[in-house]
């Protein structure tokens, strides 16, 4: 099985990092939610027990016997409660008003203690610890079957009417009331919530895993395309460099064997070697320029450049090549105020590449028209030729490095196949745009728009 390439490994790593981050957030949120729900359940339980204890206390206060000890009066007040030392039947009810909740031995227990903390009565099924000091208001108690109870202790008071007539009734400290609430329901709820949270988090992580893989694919898409382009470029560059080198070596090899037989052959060989050497040098210069154009740019290198000046200079420079190719050159427009903030050498290269291509790909007798005009805040440069044209399919690819519609013709003209890639890179650097139009057989038109320098834009606005 083929091992995954560096891009697949990077995608996997990216997806894993996404998943880790999402996982930590999900798990944190899940645990937070779980904690909040448990906290609110616990508060509801405490409120329930507190309310019950307060109501019971108020109901019992006027009915309590004088002394806090197991007695028949106490048994009469709380018929459902078992006195310490007596057998303990199941109660029909404890205090009628709270019968439903408080007599449910599954959920609650009730204990009465004297002021020293000695147990005097309790509901059936409650813990029956002999003597104890009632601790803090809230405590955790283990029930008979190891079940956990939340216990709430409060002072029990008894209403006392003094013998002296007219005196206010007072409250005497009678003992303690303890209410225990079973935590079985809460524990079961915690268990249920815990497993629900875990399941939701695991399912969410599975979905997040798939989403991470998809997202990392999206993020890696442009990188993958650039990586493939780079791979293709390296292969093409190696191929382009190999061809002239192989020619050069073959010629030198042949020359070595012929040198003694024909001294005249030396001159021809040198001419071929020189031509191939020049081709190699052009190729390497273009490759270096392209690499520089795609690297970071020094803003200081920019200066106002007159497009009209550049166009006129290049028309003059290429006029000789045009007359050799028997192609007419013509300029239309040429507004002197079209200034671009850019790198002059690069702008020269841009126009010269387009112009030379137009001359090279136009048959003798044809014409190349260069036009320059303003289009709003942009300068618009058009190079129109009456040459061989470019098919619709090739128009999509001519800006790719080393692409040539006709490799033989291009090489014969001395082209490196990098001319239009360099043009596109320069246009990008100057924040412009380039388009090509051709019906595929009779002529092509390259249109470049470049944003003008602020002062040139002002000139247009003031007109
Ligand atoms: P080259 O060095 O081959 O000219 P370029 O990058 O400048 O490389 O051009 C790429 C290809 O685009 C050329 O090989 C040619 O096929 C096509 N091309 C460029 N300009 C023109 C034009 N004006 N007319 C027709 N074809 C053109």
């Amino acid at each position: 099985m083929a091992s995954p390439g560096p891009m697949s490994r990077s995608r996997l790593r990216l997806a894993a990092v996404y998943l880790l981050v999402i996982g930590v957030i999900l798990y944190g949120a899940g645990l937070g939610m779980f904690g909040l729900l448990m906290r609110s359940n616990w508060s509801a339980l405490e409120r329930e027990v507190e309310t019950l204890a307060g109501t019971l206390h108020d109901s019992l206060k006027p009915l309590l016997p004088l002394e806090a000890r197991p007695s028949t009066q106490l048994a009469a007040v709380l018929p459902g409660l078992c006195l310490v030392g007596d057998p303990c039947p199941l109660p029909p009810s404890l205090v009628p008003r709270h019968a439903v909740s408080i007599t449910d031995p599954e959920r609650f227990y009730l204990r009465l203690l004297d002021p020293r903390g000695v147990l005097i009565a309790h509901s059936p099924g409650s813990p029956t610890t002999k003597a104890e000091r009632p601790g803090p208001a809230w405590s955790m108690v283990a029930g008979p079957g190891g079940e956990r109870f939340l216990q709430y202790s409060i002072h029990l008071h008894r209403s006392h009417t003094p013998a002296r007539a007219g005196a206010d009734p007072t409250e005497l400290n009678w003992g303690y009331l303890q209410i225990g609430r079973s935590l079985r329901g809460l524990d079961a709820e915690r268990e249920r919530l815990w497993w629900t949270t875990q399941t939701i988090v695991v399912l969410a992580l599975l979905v997040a895993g798939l989403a991470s893989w998809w997202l990392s694919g999206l993020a890696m898409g442009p990188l993958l395309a650039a990586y493939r382009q780079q791979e293709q470029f390296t292969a093409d560059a190696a191929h382009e460099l190999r061809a002239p080198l192989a020619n050069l070596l073959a010629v030198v090899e042949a020359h070595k064997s012929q040198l003694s037989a024909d001294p005249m052959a030396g001159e021809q060989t040198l001419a071929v070697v020189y031509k191939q050497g020049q081709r190699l040098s052009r190729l390497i210069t273009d490759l270096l320029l392209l690499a520089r154009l795609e690297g970071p740019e020094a803003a200081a290198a920019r200066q106002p450049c007159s497009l009209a000046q550049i166009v006129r200079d290049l028309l003059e420079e290429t006029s000789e090549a045009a007359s050799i190719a028997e192609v007419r050159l013509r300029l239309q427009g040429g507004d002197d105020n079209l200034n671009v903030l850019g790198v002059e050498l690069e702008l020269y290269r841009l126009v010269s590449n387009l112009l030379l291509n137009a001359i090279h790909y136009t048959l003798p007798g044809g014409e190349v028209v260069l036009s320059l005009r303003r289009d709003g805040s942009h300068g618009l440069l058009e190079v129109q030729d009456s040459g061989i044209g470019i098919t619709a399919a090739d128009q999509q690819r001519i800006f790719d490095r080393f692409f040539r519609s006709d490799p033989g013709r291009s090489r014969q003209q001395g082209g490196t196949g990098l001319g239009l890639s360099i043009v596109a890179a320069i246009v990008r650097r100057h924040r412009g745009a380039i388009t090509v139009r051709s019906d595929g057989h009779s002529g092509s038109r390259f249109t470049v728009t470049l944003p003008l320098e602020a002062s040139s834009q002002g000139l247009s606005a003031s007109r």
Side-chain angles (χ1 to χ4, degrees):
M1 204 177 78
S3 63
M7 281 290 153
S8 306
R9 277 200 299 276
S10 303
R11 183 179 177 184
L12 253 177
R13 221 172 297 145
L14 194 62
V17 173
Y18 275 149
L19 187 60
L20 189 75
V21 173
I22 296 175
V24 167
I25 294 172
L26 267 178
Y27 210 75
L31 281 186
M33 207 63 186
F34 171 75
L36 276 177
L37 281 172
M38 286 316 295
R39 180 75 241 142
S40 86
N41 280 352
W42 186 261
S43 303
L45 200 99
E46 282 185 343
R47 270 198 309 278
E48 181 191 21
V49 174
E50 253 173 355
T51 312
L52 210 56
T55 318
L56 255 176
H57 173 274
D58 294 348
S59 310
L60 288 175
K61 200 162 62 175
L63 306 173
L64 286 171
L66 210 58
E67 281 186 45
R69 61 183 175 82
S71 61
T72 43
Q73 292 105 302
L74 186 60
V77 171
L78 293 159
L81 236 55
C82 311
L83 297 176
V84 171
D86 286 358
C88 194
L90 266 179
S93 69
L94 193 61
V95 172
R97 274 171 57 197
H98 312 292
V100 177
S101 55
I102 201 69
T103 54
D104 181 358
E106 293 285 306
R107 293 167 62 210
F108 291 98
Y109 69 73
L110 192 73
R111 287 153 46 105
L112 292 178
L113 294 93
D114 71 10
R116 290 167 298 143
V118 178
L119 183 68
I120 50 177
H122 60 88
S123 58
S126 67
T128 50
T129 328
K130 279 281 176 324
E132 59 186 72
R133 285 252 137 238
W138 293 103
S139 55
M140 297 292 289
V141 173
E147 191 184 337
R148 294 189 322 140
F149 282 89
L150 173 69
Q151 181 174 282
Y152 185 51
S153 308
I154 52 167
H155 278 287
L156 253 185
H157 298 102
R158 187 175 70 83
S159 301
H160 170 68
T161 313
R164 192 160 48 87
D168 287 338
T170 54
E171 289 197 340
L172 294 176
N173 198 359
W174 191 86
Y176 294 97
L177 168 70
Q178 291 184 327
I179 291 186
R181 168 71 158 93
S182 165
L183 294 180
R184 192 190 299 157
L186 192 82
D187 286 345
E189 178 70 1
R190 173 190 284 121
E191 187 95 338
R192 197 182 61 79
L193 266 177
W194 175 254
W195 285 113
T196 309
T197 309
Q198 298 295 320
T199 313
I200 290 175
V201 167
V202 168
L203 286 178
L205 277 178
L206 276 178
V207 176
L210 293 176
S212 302
W213 182 249
W214 177 67
L215 281 175
S216 59
L218 277 190
M220 295 288 295
L223 287 179
L224 198 65
Y227 179 74
R228 296 253 179 280
Q229 221 176 359
Q230 200 59 37
E231 273 184 337
Q232 185 62 43
F233 175 64
T234 312
D236 289 346
H239 178 77
E240 292 291 331
L241 287 167
R242 200 176 53 184
L245 255 182
N247 280 346
L248 215 141
L249 290 174
V251 169
V252 172
E253 201 62 37
H255 176 68
K256 272 202 303 195
S257 53
Q258 285 178 6
L259 198 58
S260 46
D262 179 7
M264 283 299 286
E267 221 167 288
Q268 289 167 10
T269 308
L270 268 182
V272 176
V273 168
Y274 182 69
K275 195 175 160 206
Q276 295 299 336
Q278 268 188 325
R279 199 177 140 195
L280 268 177
S281 161
R282 262 199 313 274
L283 193 59
I284 290 167
T285 310
D286 278 4
L287 277 174
L288 286 175
L289 174 62
L290 206 51
R292 191 171 58 72
L293 284 171
E294 287 182 350
E297 184 198 7
R302 294 189 165 229
Q303 57 182 54
C305 308
S306 161
L307 285 180
Q309 188 60 48
I310 293 171
V311 163
R312 277 199 291 266
D313 286 354
L314 283 170
L315 274 177
E316 205 179 305
E317 274 176 37
T318 52
S319 60
E320 198 184 330
S323 72
I324 292 172
E326 296 173 43
V327 171
R328 270 192 320 281
L329 273 185
R330 200 150 58 82
L331 173 66
Q332 270 181 359
D335 187 342
D336 273 326
N337 292 315
L338 299 181
N339 290 335
V340 167
L341 192 64
V343 183
E344 197 168 51
L345 267 178
E346 291 177 5
L347 292 171
Y348 265 98
R349 186 67 196 264
L350 186 166
V351 182
S352 129
N353 277 10
L354 290 178
L355 204 50
L356 286 174
N357 270 355
I359 295 170
H360 288 155
Y361 295 103
T362 299
L363 301 173
E367 185 181 50
V368 172
V369 182
L370 234 154
S371 72
L372 180 64
R373 61 177 190 276
R374 181 189 296 277
D375 182 16
S377 57
H378 286 70
L380 201 135
L381 172 82
E382 273 180 357
V383 182
Q384 162 99 53
D385 64 53
S386 58
I388 58 171
I390 306 167
T391 61
D394 286 354
Q395 285 172 35
Q396 312 290 322
R397 303 188 55 202
I398 50 171
F399 296 102
D400 292 352
R401 296 154 175 186
F402 297 120
F403 176 79
R404 297 162 165 120
S405 297
D406 179 352
R409 184 183 180 126
S410 161
R411 287 203 179 91
Q412 198 193 338
Q413 311 272 20
T416 58
L418 293 173
L420 286 182
S421 311
I422 290 173
V423 166
I426 294 173
V427 169
R428 262 199 308 277
R429 281 270 266 228
H430 289 78
R431 293 179 189 83
I434 182 164
T435 55
V436 60
R437 269 200 167 185
S438 173
D439 63 6
H441 48 82
S442 58
S444 328
R445 184 167 70 204
F446 285 84
T447 308
V448 176
T449 47
L450 292 170
L452 294 173
E453 192 209 0
S455 60
S456 290
Q457 290 177 22
L459 270 170
S460 107
S462 60
R463 273 175 191 184

